Structures are given as structure tokens and as C-alpha cells.
Amino acid sequence: MSHTPPVPIGNQSPYPLQEPPHIKRNTEVPNEIGQAKRSRWSFLPILTASISAAAAISAVAILLAPDRLFQKS
């Protein structure tokens, strides 16, 4: 038997029986846009490292020299 009997309307699955075809999208970025994004975000690691270094230096200075920072006049 190559013919499948019809399914009653109340007994049909709400989910599709076959997966829809996938759409291929172009994921390549043109050179001008890709380089602009790279150059724009290249400063972020440098900025993060400098802020972290400044915070670490400040913390060490406060821990090592509290008498100089909090002198009573």
C-alpha cells in the first residue's frame, strides 16, 4: 500500500511533520566593514588593562601607606 489514509482534522499533529528548508545566509563581512569593526574595538582590551592596573596600584598604595593617606591634622 503506497497510499496513506487521511488523518481526521481533530487528530492532526500541531507540529510540522517535515523540517522546513534552511536558508543559507552570507556570513562573510566585507573588508571595509570588518576592518572598521576590528579597529573600533581594538582599544577595549588596552583600556580594560589600564583601568585594572590603576585599580591594583591604588589598592596597594592604600594598603601599604594608610598613615600617609589618613593623617589627622
Side-chain angles (χ1 to χ4, degrees):
M1 273 179 95
S2 61
H3 176 70
T4 57
V7 179
I9 293 176
N11 202 15
Q12 291 179 350
S13 173
Y15 304 105
L17 298 177
Q18 294 180 348
E19 189 173 338
H22 296 283
I23 300 171
K24 290 187 177 182
R25 296 189 175 148
N26 188 4
T27 58
E28 295 180 17
V29 178
N31 287 339
E32 304 88 29
I33 296 173
Q35 289 187 6
K37 283 185 179 180
R38 275 188 235 122
S39 65
R40 185 179 68 179
W41 291 107
S42 64
F43 75 94
L44 191 59
I46 297 170
L47 180 66
T48 305
S50 62
I51 290 173
S52 299
I57 291 170
S58 299
V60 169
I62 289 172
L63 291 174
L64 293 179
D67 56 332
R68 290 185 185 173
L69 295 174
F70 303 110
Q71 285 181 346
K72 291 186 177 180
S73 299

